Amino acid sequence: MSTKSGKPKNLTKEEESLLQDYSRDLSTKSSALFYGNAAIISAVPIWLYWKIHQMEPANNYIYFLLVTVVTTYLISFAYKNVKFVLKHKIFQNLDNVVQDEKDKKNDDRSLKKKNEIAEFEATTYSIFYNNSLFLFILMVASFILFKNFTPLFNYFLSMGLSAGLLALFSTSK
């Protein structure tokens, strides 16, 4: 992509679009979707700790806010990683299933359509998978591993362990 002098070559719009389709960068829409879902799933345990562990939100709002922000980042990081891996697997499966004629214009349209389908399916599955895993780890940590800790330490440890393991598991292929 670069010349001998080290300056990058100018890419056409088609090449930039193709690179964007296969990069780890998220579109603004996907990023907003991921951060929005991550914020909601990070805030859901506040109700658990308020109603079951008797942590009053008025007294612990700083802790709830801090932990929610950190877990939102970690969960959205996991969404992004899982989506990237899944998108390529789904695209390859679609490529094997759909075999059209070799007309160039039709092939480009088919490629774009398969990419859109793979993008959508990878996004939805990534959100579902990560939310399920996060909530499962949270329940096990909160009610089994750290049940004898004070509610505040239970909250910190359960949320930290859940979001940290989720981010860690998302980096494996």
Side-chain angles (χ1 to χ4, degrees), residues 30 39 50-51 110 120 122 125 130 142-143:
S30 289
W50 174 26
K51 293 295 185 180
S110 173
F120 175 76
Y125 185 77
N130 285 303
S142 179
F143 292 114

Side-chain angles (χ1 to χ4, degrees), residues 148-160:
N148 295 326
F149 286 66
T150 64
L152 185 61
F153 285 117
N154 184 323
Y155 179 68
F156 282 135
L157 294 173
S158 297
M159 291 290 284

Side-chain angles (χ1 to χ4, degrees), residues 67-78:
V67 171
T68 300
V69 168
V70 171
T71 56
T72 296
Y73 173 76
L74 291 173
I75 292 171
S76 63
F77 175 78

Side-chain angles (χ1 to χ4, degrees), residues 103-120:
D103 182 37
K104 178 67 176 162
K105 194 170 191 174
N106 191 19
D107 193 39
D108 284 346
R109 262 190 265 140
S110 173
L111 189 65
K112 278 232 182 263
K113 185 66 175 171
K114 284 188 266 185
N115 192 41
E116 288 174 11
I117 292 169
E119 174 98 13
F120 175 76

